[in-house]
Amino acid sequence: MTTKGVLAIDIGGTKIALAAIDLAGHWLAQTKFVIAGLDGGAIVTQLLAVSQQLVSQAQLTVTGIGVSTIGVVDGEHLKLVPTIKGWDHVNLKAALQRQFTQIPVWIENDVKAATYAEVLDGALKGTTAGLYLNLGTGIATGLSLGDQVIRGSHGAAGEVGYLLTSTSDAGFATGHAPFEEATGGQAIGRQLTALVGSPYSAKDMWSNSELPQVVQRFKTQLLASWAFNLANLCITWDPAVVAIGGGMEAAYDQIAPTLTAQLAQSVPFPPVLKRAYYQQNSSLNGIALLALRSVTT
C-alpha cells in the first residue's frame, strides 16, 4: 500500500538531501549523497536514480516535487552556480518530469526556500512583510510579503552578496560578489587566517571566548558591516520581523546585540530581530512546506 505525498530535494554546493513526506507533513524517509566534483549531467542522472529509490523505499505516491537549490532560479534554468560545471545548461524541471510524469515540480533558490520555511511555519509566520537573513558560507536574504517570498524580475531578489561595499568595488560584471567576499563564512576564514598567520575559521571566532586582539577587532568590524547593511535593507523593505538563519545563526547571541542596536538607531520602524525557527535543514523544510501547500490547496 502506498501513501500520497511529496518529494523534497535540496541541492547544495557539495551534497543533495532528499525527503519523502506524506500529505500530513510526516517525514517517511530521507537520504543524501555527495556531488562534489560531478558536472551537471552526472548530478541529474544520480539524482533521478536516488529519487526513485527513496520513493520506492517510502512507498510514496508522488503528488508533487519541490526542489531548493543554490543559484538563481530563472525560468527553466539555474544561473550563477559556479561550483557546478554545466549546471546552467541543465533543465532540472524537465528532467524530473520525464521520470515522474504528470507530476508538478516547483524549483526555488535555497535561501528563498528557507524563507518560506519561516513564513509558513516559523519566525516570519503571520507578518505583513518580513526579512530572512542567511549568514553562512554565502550571504543572502529572502524578502517576504504575506505568505509569498519575492522573486524579482529574474529570480534574483535578495541576492545581497552582490552589494557593493565601497565605490571602488569590482562588482558582478567582473565576477565578484563584494559583500559576500567580505563577510561570508569562507571569506571570514580567509581573512582571519591572513591576520593570525595560521588557519583560523569563522567557527573559531564565534566559539572562543578569549580572542586575539586582531580577531576581536575584525569581529567588531564584521558585526558593524552586517548591521549597517541590514539597517539599509530594513529602511528599504520595512519588515516587521527579521529572522537570522544560516550556519552562523549558531552565534546568534553574539550577533544580535549589534544588529538590534543599529536597527533601533537607524530604522524609522525597527523590526523585531529573531532567531530562525528552522535551524537545521531549513531549505529542505521550506521547499517541502511549499510543495505540500501547493498540492493540498
Side-chain angles (χ1 to χ4, degrees):
M1 180 177 178
T2 62
T3 302
K4 290 184 177 181
V6 300
L7 176 64
I9 301 169
D10 178 40
I11 301 170
T14 59
K15 68 178 184 302
I16 294 180
L18 304 91
I21 303 164
D22 69 18
L23 295 181
H26 302 122
W27 289 42
L28 306 176
Q30 56 184 307
T31 190
K32 59 184 176 181
F33 63 95
V34 175
I35 60 171
L38 300 179
D39 64 18
I43 290 171
V44 171
T45 298
Q46 191 166 350
L47 174 60
L48 294 177
V50 174
S51 296
Q52 193 61 62
Q53 291 169 3
L54 186 67
V55 166
S56 298
Q57 174 191 343
Q59 296 184 303
L60 185 74
T61 298
V62 180
T63 59
I65 300 173
V67 183
S68 70
T69 177
I70 56 173
V72 170
V73 180
D74 186 10
E76 299 295 310
H77 291 86
L78 308 177
K79 299 180 178 179
L80 306 183
V81 190
T83 55
I84 303 177
K85 182 180 179 182
W87 200 234
D88 55 339
H89 299 301
V90 170
N91 188 329
L92 186 57
K93 183 175 182 178
L96 286 164
Q97 288 185 319
R98 280 195 297 270
Q99 176 155 316
F100 297 94
T101 56
Q102 307 301 315
I103 302 300
V105 176
W106 298 273
I107 302 181
E108 191 51 275
N109 161 266
D110 56 350
V111 173
K112 289 180 176 63
T115 307
Y116 267 115
E118 298 303 319
V119 167
L120 297 176
D121 193 32
L124 301 179
K125 186 175 183 179
T127 58
T128 302
L131 189 150
Y132 177 85
L133 176 58
N134 182 84
L135 299 176
T137 301
I139 303 292
T141 62
L143 308 173
S144 66
L145 190 63
D147 64 353
Q148 299 295 320
V149 176
I150 303 302
R151 305 195 71 257
S153 300
H154 308 90
E159 292 291 334
V160 297
Y162 294 98
L163 287 175
L164 302 177
T165 60
S166 75
T167 56
S168 62
D169 272 343
F172 172 75
T174 55
H176 290 280
F179 188 48
E180 184 170 291
E181 290 171 11
T183 67
Q186 287 187 342
I188 291 171
R190 286 195 299 270
Q191 293 173 82
L192 288 175
T193 295
L195 288 171
V196 174
S198 59
Y200 206 100
S201 67
K203 185 177 180 180
D204 294 329
M205 181 182 70
W206 298 121
S207 61
N208 292 328
S209 57
E210 294 187 11
L211 298 175
Q213 189 174 19
V214 66
V215 175
Q216 184 60 57
R217 282 198 301 268
F218 177 89
K219 180 179 177 181
T220 299
Q221 293 167 359
L222 172 70
L223 290 170
S225 178
W226 282 347
F228 173 83
N229 284 278
L230 178 60
N232 281 335
L233 286 169
C234 290
I235 291 169
T236 304
W237 187 242
D238 187 27
V241 175
V242 172
I244 305 297
M248 289 187 279
E249 174 276 331
Y252 179 85
D253 290 341
Q254 299 177 60
I255 295 169
T258 301
L259 271 57
T260 300
Q262 184 73 68
L263 294 174
Q265 176 181 321
S266 306
V267 181
F269 300 96
V272 175
L273 196 72
K274 293 185 178 181
R275 186 192 297 263
Y277 176 76
Y278 285 96
Q279 297 166 26
Q280 300 291 330
N281 298 317
S282 56
S283 298
L284 188 62
N285 275 285
I287 201 64
L289 289 169
L290 184 59
L292 284 169
R293 183 181 70 169
S294 299
V295 299
T296 55
T297 56

